[in-house]
Amino acid sequence: MDFGAQSGVPTIGADESEQLLARYGPLAEAVRELIDATIRTQADDATMREATTQVRQVTERLRDGILSDAPGMRYVVDGRPLAWGNAVIGLRNPIAPPLVIEHGGSASLDGGEATLGPPHEHGENGHCWSDFHLGAAYEGPPSLVHGGVSALILDHLLGEAASEGLTKPLFTGTITVKYLRGTPLGPLRAEAWVYRREAIKTYARGHIADSAGVTVEAEGVFIIPAWARESVE
Amino acid sequence: MDFGAQSGVPTIGADESEQLLARYGPLAEAVRELIDATIRTQADDATMREATTQVRQVTERLRDGILSDAPGMRYVVDGRPLAWGNAVIGLRNPIAPPLVIEHGGSASLDGGEATLGPPHEHGENGHCWSDFHLGAAYEGPPSLVHGGVSALILDHLLGEAASEGLTKPLFTGTITVKYLRGTPLGPLRAEAWVYRREAIKTYARGHIADSAGVTVEAEGVFIIPAWARESVE
């Protein structure tokens, strides 16, 4: 994990944000469907050649519109990064499922040390969660989610919990992911919460579950980067 | 991690494999370029609407050719799964970078217990590596690889080392990923090797490096699933 309000990040207002998302969001959604079809199609040679040519033409047209070649996109609205290019939540990134993350609220980051228990209800200790669906693009073993994709999602979700919804700059220090059983492709839920805070370190736990219960657990420590430490040092 | 020679997986020969890859591989490559353009374009409303319509049309045509709705694709050629749908190495999966993994050779899996040192040269202890490039689609913090993407790649690579290039069925038990500094988007190398084997457990280590050195380290234990344990029990 990731992000947080970076210095030098372009800031836009809510109206402009909505307008940009209306312009760029639908293509990302359409490309997600195309990714799934690309993996699963059994079309013949001629159809595949035509499809490939058409996709290249669309790509060329979009590239005519690239004014900057900076990788990724990020804007801040009211202090919260939009992270549209993010590999897990990015609404403009077709490889992101994307996870829509719900935040129940968060404990205060007062710079002191505190040991926090697991949340008993939504809203405590940075608790956040997401209901999402993983299709063919996220496969490892046949019909199961790639173990590394579970790690990707848990790294992100624990980071969201630790950073209070990406409003604090934090990077993953270490994350441990424990696989209890295979995670089936299909509808899933991920949850994460903070269980301990120190000056520059925040400790979070979380898991992924299918309808039968937890499949993967994770525990991680997240660290405030040096450039953002004045407030806690 | 993942895969391994599964019972019930369709087996095809090398000729058919080449033919299928020539048919389906180019579209996945074209879609990878489209993903990058989708994230980075600054095209106007009209161009975006047209691009979205065109992408939907291509998807519809590809879906006409779907005869099975089973998620993912996998074939075995000479005992080695092709894993074309795999989220990290799948040549038919546009979200896979894809990593092309080199195997230097492998230590024997004799079912006994052994403690192995780190590899001193390519070829020892299941040592494998990959040179790859991560672009905008893999971003977390601005211009850096998403921490979870590093975990995804290391889970896969450690699993490749532990499973002798996916020829042995193994699942990740636990993986710990330690972030030393941010990993920049761009050219990267990942490596992994086995440092210990027991009856059903194989322990692997690995890292990701940029031109200045290691950015992320990982350590994991990989387990032979119950259905494949007869040979070692």
Side-chain angles (χ1 to χ4, degrees):
Chain A
M1 230 279 302
D2 311 333
F3 22 60
Q6 310 280 334
S7 44
V9 172
T11 302
I12 58 170
D15 281 0
E16 193 182 351
S17 156
E18 252 175 61
Q19 190 185 11
L20 286 170
L21 205 55
R23 184 185 299 159
Y24 295 114
L27 179 62
E29 280 178 46
V31 176
R32 284 184 196 111
E33 297 294 317
L34 175 62
I35 289 169
D36 183 79
T38 298
I39 298 171
R40 294 167 59 208
T41 188
Q42 300 185 17
D44 62 17
D45 280 332
T47 303
M48 293 304 297
R49 275 195 297 272
E50 285 167 34
T52 304
T53 300
Q54 285 173 305
V55 166
R56 284 182 185 142
Q57 284 166 351
V58 173
T59 303
E60 281 313 303
R61 284 206 60 191
L62 295 171
R63 284 188 170 154
D64 282 346
I66 291 179
L67 302 177
S68 154
D69 65 356
M73 302 287 297
R74 77 241 30 146
Y75 295 105
V76 174
V77 179
D78 300 332
R80 187 184 172 90
L82 293 175
W84 285 342
N86 186 279
V88 174
I89 61 167
L91 295 175
R92 282 195 60 175
N93 187 340
I95 81 164
L99 260 62
V100 176
I101 298 175
E102 311 283 344
H103 291 271
S106 55
S108 65
L109 237 196
D110 59 10
E113 191 168 325
T115 300
L116 310 170
H120 298 293
E121 55 181 72
H122 292 168
E124 292 182 36
N125 305 343
H127 191 205
C128 60
W129 63 96
S130 180
D131 292 305
F132 56 100
H133 182 280
L134 295 182
Y138 304 95
E139 194 182 58
S143 81
L144 296 178
V145 175
H146 192 296
V149 169
S150 295
L152 164 64
I153 287 169
L154 284 166
D155 169 76
H156 188 93
L157 211 71
L158 267 61
E160 288 255 0
S163 67
E164 303 184 24
L166 314 188
T167 61
K168 309 286 179 189
L170 284 178
F171 284 76
T172 315
T174 301
I175 186 168
T176 297
V177 183
K178 186 177 175 188
Y179 298 84
L180 308 183
R181 60 183 168 90
T183 302
L185 292 174
L188 297 166
R189 164 172 279 222
E191 295 187 64
W193 61 90
V194 168
Y195 68 95
R196 184 180 169 88
R197 291 181 198 271
E198 292 170 7
I200 64 160
K201 293 183 179 175
T202 301
Y203 297 82
R205 289 200 178 106
H207 59 244
I208 295 175
D210 67 3
S211 59
V214 173
T215 61
V216 189
E217 294 173 339
E219 190 167 319
V221 54
F222 296 81
I223 300 168
I224 301 176
W227 59 262
R229 282 182 196 171
E230 311 91 69
S231 59
V232 295
E233 275 177 349
Chain B
M1 230 278 306
D2 310 331
F3 25 58
Q6 309 280 333
S7 43
V9 173
T11 302
I12 59 170
D15 281 1
E16 194 182 350
S17 155
E18 252 176 61
Q19 191 184 9
L20 286 170
L21 205 55
R23 184 185 299 159
Y24 296 114
L27 178 62
E29 280 178 47
V31 175
R32 283 184 197 110
E33 296 295 317
L34 175 62
I35 290 168
D36 184 78
T38 298
I39 298 170
R40 294 167 58 209
T41 189
Q42 299 186 18
D44 62 18
D45 281 331
T47 303
M48 293 305 296
R49 274 195 299 270
E50 284 167 35
T52 303
T53 300
Q54 284 172 306
V55 166
R56 285 182 184 142
Q57 284 166 352
V58 174
T59 303
E60 281 312 303
R61 284 203 62 191
L62 295 171
R63 284 189 169 154
D64 282 346
I66 292 179
L67 302 178
S68 153
D69 63 359
M73 303 287 297
R74 81 252 12 158
Y75 295 104
V76 173
V77 180
D78 302 331
R80 187 183 171 93
L82 293 176
W84 285 342
N86 187 279
V88 174
I89 61 168
L91 295 175
R92 283 194 60 175
N93 187 340
I95 81 165
L99 260 63
V100 177
I101 297 175
E102 312 283 343
H103 293 271
S106 55
S108 65
L109 236 196
D110 60 11
E113 192 166 324
T115 301
L116 309 171
H120 298 293
E121 55 180 73
H122 290 170
E124 291 182 37
N125 304 345
H127 190 204
C128 60
W129 64 96
S130 180
D131 292 304
F132 56 100
H133 182 279
L134 296 182
Y138 304 95
E139 194 182 57
S143 82
L144 296 178
V145 176
H146 192 297
V149 169
S150 295
L152 164 64
I153 286 168
L154 284 166
D155 169 77
H156 189 94
L157 211 73
L158 268 61
E160 287 256 357
S163 67
E164 303 183 25
L166 314 190
T167 62
K168 308 287 179 189
L170 284 180
F171 285 75
T172 315
T174 301
I175 187 168
T176 298
V177 183
K178 186 177 175 185
Y179 299 84
L180 309 183
R181 60 182 168 92
T183 302
L185 292 175
L188 297 166
R189 165 172 277 222
E191 294 187 63
W193 60 90
V194 169
Y195 69 94
R196 184 181 169 88
R197 292 182 198 271
E198 292 169 7
I200 63 160
K201 292 183 179 175
T202 301
Y203 297 82
R205 290 199 179 107
H207 59 243
I208 295 174
D210 66 4
S211 60
V214 173
T215 60
V216 189
E217 296 174 338
E219 189 168 319
V221 53
F222 296 82
I223 300 169
I224 301 177
W227 58 262
R229 282 183 195 171
E230 311 90 70
S231 60
V232 295
E233 277 177 348

